[in-house]
Amino acid sequence: MTDNSGARALRGGARVAVLALLWGSTFLWTELALRGLSPLQVTFARCAIGALVLVVACCATGHRLPRGRTVWRHIVVAAFFCNALPFALFSVGQQTVDSGLAGVLNATTPLWSIILGLTLGSERGLRPVRLAGLLLGFTGTIVIFAPWRTTGATGWGALAILGAAVSYAVAFTYMGRTLVRRGTPTISLSAAQLVAASGLTALAVPIGGLDAVHPGPTVLVAAVVLSVCCTAVTFHLTYRIINDEGATDAAVVGYLLPVVSVLLGAVVLGEDLNLRVVLGMAVVLLGVGMTRRQEAPPASATPAQRATPAQTATSAQTATPAQPVAPAEESISPGRAPDLSW
């Protein structure tokens, strides 16, 4: 059991690291894509190309899109708050806010998520060390941002990005309560949600997406990387983290975004990397480590008390005769290829 727990923790940590790296680079690629595309065009491209990639991956692994009005109703709501709305707000906001600051502002997502979780009761009995980690991570982002050193107002762009962060928190909580751990593979959910997001953004294209396009090598590469790596891959990883560890753990990735944004600025754009920023990144990493610390169960704990939240939820569903549950995601039915995705 110890080996399984260690492997699960290592796999979860790897997902968080990859998600933070790809998600943190979103702001850089968005800024480059906006040089030739309008905000709504960038949003639609992210959703449409990302949906195509995930639908292909879904079919390649032997899965299919979900069925049923109820699940699709939840998917449409989640697509609005997790994809269509925040993608549009980021594109609008980054017209006046640089990529590094956008990453820092988005790092408020874990705080909004924990507030929602405590309000709705999905985060009961939050351990002091985890709460301290959340607050420490937020402190680290303030050290990186250093608002006392900035001049001028960030205006509506900053408010738009803060709105996107709140939207992400709402989406993660909603997805955790209505979509995950209900027998539908996460690859199917993530593909279906981006399909729904594509439909939502397509409805708005006639309003603000018919501007002239100015394609160029940089714009095209940025749009493709943004759609495939920073949307399709990151979105599926987000679903897996929500499924395995909960909505707050998925939101905690947001604290790593300023680290990635600042490092990319230093490496790609040649921006300065001073001692204050390095200290802030160290504080962020320490805070994230505290939020991911697993409390060891007492030696006298029963197997049920040692179960993870995901295992507890699965057991509860299985034990309810009136609510049959579909096979678990990792199970392989006859004629179905194994799910090799993270």
Side-chain angles (χ1 to χ4, degrees):
M1 180 175 293
T2 302
D3 293 339
N4 291 337
S5 299
R8 184 167 53 249
L10 182 61
R11 188 165 56 247
R15 289 174 187 163
V16 168
V18 173
L19 180 57
L21 178 61
L22 295 179
W23 196 357
S25 68
T26 296
F27 312 102
L28 172 64
W29 298 114
T30 298
E31 189 166 312
L32 294 175
L34 286 171
R35 295 180 179 180
L37 301 172
S38 70
L40 192 54
Q41 288 169 348
V42 172
T43 302
F44 179 71
R46 290 186 65 177
C47 294
I49 299 176
L52 178 62
V53 171
L54 286 183
V55 168
V56 171
C58 185
C59 296
T61 54
H63 295 94
R64 61 187 181 185
L65 296 181
R67 296 182 179 180
R69 292 184 178 180
T70 300
V71 66
W72 271 101
R73 184 167 59 249
H74 291 315
I75 285 173
V76 170
V77 174
F80 176 77
F81 285 105
C82 189
N83 307 110
L85 180 59
F87 290 178
L89 290 175
F90 276 125
S91 297
V92 170
Q94 283 195 242
Q95 290 183 308
T96 56
V97 174
D98 60 38
S99 61
L101 178 56
V104 173
L105 293 174
N106 189 61
T108 61
T109 297
L111 285 182
W112 300 117
S113 181
I114 198 66
I115 290 172
L116 283 173
L118 291 173
T119 302
L120 299 176
S122 58
E123 285 293 336
R124 299 174 182 173
L126 187 66
R127 291 181 288 113
V129 65
R130 199 154 178 249
L131 178 60
L134 287 167
L135 296 177
L136 192 61
F138 183 66
T139 301
T141 63
I142 293 178
V143 173
I144 295 174
F145 180 30
W148 56 88
R149 297 172 58 92
T150 60
T151 57
T154 52
W156 291 104
L159 291 178
I161 294 175
L162 283 175
V166 175
S167 184
Y168 273 141
V170 172
F172 292 166
T173 302
Y174 185 84
M175 291 155 64
R177 293 169 67 92
T178 63
L179 290 171
V180 301
R181 302 173 190 167
R182 296 178 181 274
T184 303
T186 54
I187 185 65
S188 301
L189 289 174
S190 55
Q193 192 163 316
L194 279 187
V195 169
S198 300
L200 291 174
T201 53
L203 295 175
V205 167
I207 300 175
L210 299 180
D211 299 337
V213 177
H214 303 284
T218 300
V219 173
L220 293 177
V221 170
V224 171
V225 173
L226 181 64
S227 303
V228 177
C229 299
C230 302
T231 301
V233 176
T234 60
F235 184 50
H236 179 51
L237 287 180
T238 298
Y239 243 123
R240 291 303 298 265
I241 293 175
I242 294 175
N243 181 77
D244 295 347
E245 303 179 43
T248 302
D249 289 275
V252 164
V253 178
Y255 276 155
L256 293 172
L257 302 191
V259 179
V260 177
S261 299
V262 171
L263 288 177
L264 284 177
V267 174
V268 179
L269 303 177
E271 298 175 352
D272 293 334
L273 190 63
N274 55 44
L275 180 61
R276 172 182 55 78
V277 173
V278 173
L279 177 62
M281 290 190 295
V283 173
V284 168
L285 292 173
L286 177 60
V288 172
M290 292 173 64
T291 62
R292 296 190 59 78
R293 181 180 176 183
Q294 299 294 326
E295 185 176 15
S300 59
T302 64
Q305 291 173 322
R306 295 192 187 100
T308 63
Q311 292 171 331
T312 303
T314 302
S315 299
Q317 288 178 330
T318 304
T320 306
Q323 297 180 354
V325 179
E329 176 180 359
E330 300 298 335
S331 63
I332 305 174
S333 57
R336 169 174 290 181
D339 184 2
L340 302 179
S341 60
W342 278 10

